[in-house]
Amino acid sequence: MEKDKSAEPDDATPTPPAGNKPASAETEGLKFSRDIAPILVGNCIGCHNEKAMAKNGKLDLTTFEKIQKGGAGGAGFVAGMPEESHLYLRLTGDETPRMPRGANRQLSEATIEKVGAWLKAGAVFDGKDPKALLTSYASTPEQLRTAELEKLSVADRDKLVETKGIERWKKGNSKATPQVTPGKNFMLFGVLPKGRVTSTLKVADTQYPKIVGLIAPSGSSEPLEKIGLYVFNERSEFVEFVRSNENREVDKLEQGTASLNVPEPYVAVIDPLGGHDEPAGPARRPSRSKKKSRDDSTEAERTLGGLITDYVAAGVVRRESEKAPVWLSLGLGSFFGSRVDPRSPSTQHLRRAAYQQFDQGWTNRANDALGGEGKPESVRAIGFGIIEALAMEPQTQASFPLFVKGLIENPGKLDDVIKDSLGADRAQFLAGTGEFVATHYGRSR
């Protein structure tokens, strides 16, 4: 949190840490290590640390001592006086810019008032060493929330997911009241035929352990709280849902979204069948609009289970690493989705699109995608081709999990990951994946 230079005092000597004022009834039990430090670890020190302090108000919030010292605007806080403490005023917005930056990152009123109550009670430091890094003793907000969830029964956790799910659903401006159906790992919200609800949850529950087993092998194959699956029958409802819950616009080809690193994690998709039942026999599934592009029509041929699997996998990648390459999350999502719908037109379309990239110069096109450049549909096709090549080719199958793990842990070191996991350099990596695309996908043109 950057400091206002106009508020800088003549004497910037840090305020003494311990105010020994007795806690009031409303603040009794608040501790810096347990209640305040985790807030700073989870929301502030990513920007306000020793490396980044020069461009962020010369403010380092990584230790209690440095929080006291403050930054360009002077001392970080005044014990007993939140209304004169930069730390508090930047959170409330009474000093600008408000922190954390970004409208969708502002802390809840309850969290901000917890900081204010601790300051008012005397800003007592309960640790052993004010010079110690907060991360050495403070739990992250996620760890604290996990501890709270573990205290609840499964029924109580499910109730939290259901309540939040209904709240989010309403933001999609859907006129229908969703049916809420729990599975093993997911809770589905939607208006669908019962048989499709059952089959979709079965697919999602079957695929989730496989996804986690590859992408996050050290994690649990069952989420602590069920993942909400929001299935919208109309694109307009999905678009409004994303606008309201994620504060962004939807790409014209986007059929779903996933946010698995938030409380009550979720996946939201547009039902390929628009809420209708599966057609009898091999007849072509009805589309929801006569005016559809080729991409839209192939997307409509996917099963709901395959579409959800796609976005769950991509969401797990981003949950494990927010800096994971886009091509990796899109590629793994498409790969797992294709395992559910191996013969679907959408899977065949992906392979044709990947071959087209090969035909236009695989090395250059793939390098662009690996570097984060290119249209989403091209990046997805290239990512899918690379992932399927590594997963299917006998010489790379065994190393494929190591490659994925290495890239999630070191997203900016692709060449090192290729060498360490596959024993190759980038040129060999691209040649091998390109040969796979040419050999296997050229047949489907």
Side-chain angles (χ1 to χ4, degrees):
M1 286 167 282
E2 301 163 17
K3 301 302 181 251
D4 184 351
K5 293 185 178 181
S6 65
E8 185 173 3
D10 292 334
D11 182 1
T13 303
T15 303
N20 295 318
K21 300 177 182 180
S24 65
E26 64 179 0
T27 63
E28 186 175 0
L30 278 180
K31 292 184 177 181
F32 177 80
S33 60
R34 183 190 64 201
D35 302 300
I36 308 304
I39 297 172
L40 303 177
V41 170
N43 298 281
C44 305
I45 67 173
C47 293
H48 295 286
N49 55 66
E50 185 176 2
K51 292 183 179 179
M53 62 183 293
K55 61 180 180 180
N56 289 308
K58 297 183 180 179
L59 177 62
D60 185 345
L61 297 176
T62 56
T63 73
F64 185 84
E65 182 180 69
K66 291 176 179 178
I67 295 169
Q68 279 186 281
K69 180 181 179 181
F77 62 82
V78 180
M81 304 179 73
E83 68 279 2
E84 294 188 16
S85 300
H86 297 310
L87 178 67
Y88 179 70
L89 296 175
R90 286 301 176 92
L91 296 178
T92 63
D94 289 328
E95 284 187 358
T96 58
R98 185 172 184 175
M99 295 291 171
R101 289 182 181 274
N104 61 342
R105 293 192 61 213
Q106 291 177 5
L107 304 183
S108 68
E109 184 177 339
T111 299
I112 294 171
E113 288 312 308
K114 184 182 289 186
V115 175
W118 170 76
L119 289 166
K120 188 174 182 179
V124 177
F125 177 66
D126 62 314
K128 293 182 179 180
D129 183 3
K131 296 182 180 181
L133 294 174
L134 303 189
T135 52
S136 68
Y137 59 84
S139 299
T140 64
E142 291 78 14
Q143 290 171 328
L144 291 173
R145 188 168 189 277
T146 296
E148 291 300 316
L149 287 173
E150 289 174 341
K151 297 176 184 178
L152 301 178
S153 66
V154 173
D156 286 340
R157 291 179 208 162
D158 285 356
K159 188 62 179 177
L160 288 175
V161 175
E162 181 176 354
T163 300
K164 188 65 175 181
I166 296 296
E167 176 188 325
R168 285 176 176 150
W169 178 274
K170 291 179 179 178
K171 291 182 179 180
N173 286 340
S174 175
K175 297 178 181 179
T177 300
Q179 303 157 356
V180 182
T181 310
K184 182 179 181 181
N185 301 307
F186 300 89
M187 183 176 292
L188 193 147
F189 299 79
V191 183
L192 299 169
K194 185 177 179 180
R196 291 191 64 212
V197 171
T198 301
S199 62
T200 297
L201 281 172
K202 182 177 180 180
V203 169
D205 282 330
T206 299
Q207 293 300 314
Y208 186 76
K210 298 178 182 179
I211 292 168
V212 173
L214 174 66
I215 299 171
S218 60
S220 171
S221 60
E222 296 182 18
L224 184 59
E225 55 184 336
K226 289 183 173 66
I227 298 170
L229 296 180
Y230 310 132
V231 181
F232 293 98
N233 296 338
E234 298 293 335
R235 183 172 184 82
S236 60
E237 297 172 347
F238 170 74
V239 169
E240 191 59 37
F241 173 90
V242 173
R243 285 174 177 167
S244 301
N245 290 284
E246 299 182 5
N247 193 30
R248 66 178 181 86
E249 293 299 319
V250 175
D251 182 87
K252 65 179 181 179
L253 297 181
E254 193 173 355
Q255 298 294 312
T257 185
S259 188
L260 303 185
N261 55 355
V262 298
E264 294 84 36
Y266 66 86
V267 174
V269 300
I270 305 168
D271 179 30
L273 297 182
H276 300 294
D277 213 336
E278 292 280 356
R284 184 180 178 88
R285 293 170 180 163
S287 63
R288 287 170 281 123
S289 171
K290 294 181 179 180
K291 295 181 179 181
K292 284 191 172 290
S293 68
R294 183 175 180 180
D295 284 335
D296 288 336
S297 64
T298 55
E299 195 73 40
E301 292 289 339
R302 304 185 72 172
T303 66
L304 179 57
L307 184 63
I308 286 174
T309 298
D310 186 330
Y311 283 96
V312 168
V316 171
V317 172
R318 293 192 297 271
R319 183 184 68 187
E320 293 303 305
S321 172
E322 293 184 359
K323 297 182 179 180
V326 173
W327 72 266
L328 181 69
S329 60
L330 293 179
L332 282 168
S334 299
F335 171 75
F336 276 103
S338 73
R339 301 301 94 179
V340 176
D341 296 328
R343 296 180 178 84
S344 72
S346 66
T347 298
Q348 298 308 313
H349 172 75
L350 266 174
R351 290 178 176 141
R352 286 195 299 270
Y355 184 84
Q356 184 178 37
Q357 298 300 311
F358 171 82
D359 215 23
Q360 294 174 358
W362 180 256
T363 297
N364 290 335
R365 293 282 181 161
N367 265 323
D368 286 345
L370 296 176
E373 299 179 9
K375 296 180 179 180
E377 56 267 33
S378 299
V379 174
R380 177 185 290 275
I382 291 169
F384 172 74
I386 289 174
I387 293 300
E388 189 164 53
L390 296 178
M392 303 301 293
E393 287 287 66
Q395 60 267 38
T396 55
Q397 280 181 337
S399 302
F400 176 50
L402 294 176
F403 174 82
V404 173
K405 181 176 184 292
L407 202 52
I408 287 176
E409 293 179 350
N410 303 283
K413 298 183 178 180
L414 174 61
D415 292 313
D416 291 342
V417 172
I418 291 172
K419 181 179 179 180
D420 294 342
S421 61
L422 304 176
D425 59 28
R426 185 181 293 221
Q428 293 169 321
F429 171 76
L430 292 177
T433 54
E435 182 179 353
F436 176 90
V437 168
T439 302
H440 292 80
Y441 298 172
R443 302 170 184 167
S444 62
R445 287 190 301 165

